[in-house]
Every structure is written in structure tokens, then in C-alpha cells.
Amino acid sequence: MSHISAPQGKKITAPQLRARKGGQPIVALTAYDYPTARLVDEAGFDFILVGDSLAQTVLGYDSTLPITLDEMIAATRAVKRGVKRALIVGDMPFGYYQDSAERGVASAIRFIKEGGAEAVKIEGGRKRAHILRAIVEAEIPVMGHIGLTPQSLLQMGGYRVQGKTMEAAKELIEDALALEGAGAFAVVLEGMPKELSRIITERLSIPTIGIGAGVECDGQILVFTDLIGLTFGHTAKFVRQYADVKTVIASALKQYADDVTARRFPADEESYALPEGTIVNLEEEHSQSMPPLGPIN
Ligand code: KIV
């Protein structure tokens, strides 16, 4: 795959992604650990989001709300070890920026210093623009995220497509413009009508990254486990599943368990053996040192 905006082998930067506006589509995915980040990076993706979807996809929480900054940072460090080229974006978790710009800046700095992220993402439009601006002023590139923002689950009363009325659509356009004005280098548009994301994409001078927002964004992102088919329960309409890894894993586990039960595993070629002749001496010595059998109770 060649979506490369940096010279081969060179790290992709936030300014380079920003400059991709209107050009070749930006290709992005989430990743949460070393092996998957390595695969995504080697496949030539432009950026990797260490998404707070980690909460549900890997850690088994039932929303993104409980995940902590420490959990996000640990995942980001693992991703960092597997990535050479893609830009690494750390997703700021719920409760670590909403209440003040100071907390937002402090959390973003931890993502950079401890996690090795090269940018952060925050959810929310106009009401979060001042926080986004403060983080940018602390020299950290920030990606915005509007539309269906999973951290607003309680306010939204469920995961619902946003911007479906004229009023709501106008609000989202204002939100997008506010984030651009505050210095975002890109903005994720999630769960909104494709006509609205097209208008936002046309109005902004920074790239839009769509997820459930139609094909006319400047780039697309999906959740890693959705793409490979390693999920449990409901999958959103916008997901295209490119593999069925859950079935592959389940079948491998069953085969292994069957082989162990039937003593087909390990085979001779999967076992270590003593050098020739040693076994004879060992068995002799062993039988001499065995105490005589006592009465069986
Ligand atoms: O956490 C996440 O996975 C996200 C999406 C935009 C992919 O925020």
C-alpha cells in the first residue's frame, strides 16, 4: 500500500497529515498493542490512533467511560514499540480533560512524555475548543472529534447518529469550524449523514477523517478489531469486516485442545531428546536409586 506522505522509512508528522487536505485519502486505524501496531505500520497506514475504544475492544469494559489515562498510556507505549512510520495519536480518555484546560494540557503532556504519542485527540466541538487551543499552545498537535462522540454516551442516551436535523447539522458545522479555529490539525467526523460530512469537509481547510460519515471525508478510520472480525455483540452499520479472525482463533484453540486430549501434541519433532545413549544410563541409575515398593493401602 502506498499512502505515504513522508519519504520511505521516515516518520509521518502532524503537519504532513494536515497538508494532505484534499489530496490522497488518509488511511488510519486504531491499535492497542505491539503486534497489531507493527502490522498496521508495516501495511503503510498514515496514522494509528490508540483509541479509547481499547476500553471495550480489549479490556472488556462496556463503554469508553471507565478507562484511565494510565491504561491508555500503557497501551500507547506498546504501540510505540511497534511503529516506525505512522503518526501515533493518543486518545484522551473521559475525565482527563473535560473539566479544565489545565487538566487537558497535563494529560496531553503525559501522553507525549510517558506514552510516546506524537499527537492527541479530544472529543467535543465548541465547548472543548478552548481546551484544544491550550493543548496546541503547549506545542502538542491535536485532532478533534465531533458527531457521535462515545464519551457523550450518557448525554446522548445511546450511540446515535448525530446531525440529522437542520439545526443539529448547523451546530456540527459550527463545531468543526471552531476546532479548526482553535488549531486542530485534523478532525474525526463520526456517525453523521454523508451529506453533512461532505459539507464540513468542503468548509474546512484541515483534513476530515470519517468513521460512519460517508466516503467524502479526506480520510477514513476504523477500529482494528472491527476490521479483522474480532468482536463480540453488535457491530455498527458502517463497519466493513475484512477478515474473520474470531473464527480462525476459535478453530485453532479447539484443534489444540483436541490434540492435547488425544495426546497428539506435542509430537516427537516438537519435543527435546537426550543425546543418544544417555537415556540407557539415566534409566539404569534411576531404577537403582528407587526405594523398594511398600505395601499399598
Ligand atoms: O477510540 C476510537 O476508536 C475512536 C474512533 C474515532 C476510531 O475514537
Side-chain angles (χ1 to χ4, degrees), residues 290-296:
M290 286 276 281
L293 281 180
I296 298 166

Side-chain angles (χ1 to χ4, degrees), residues 30 32 49 51-53 91 121 123 145 188 190 211 221-223:
T30 66
Y32 316 103
L49 174 70
D52 64 349
S53 49
D91 204 4
K121 174 170 86 56
E123 295 185 7
H145 182 168
V188 171
E190 178 165 356
I211 174 162
I221 186 163
L222 275 179
V223 167

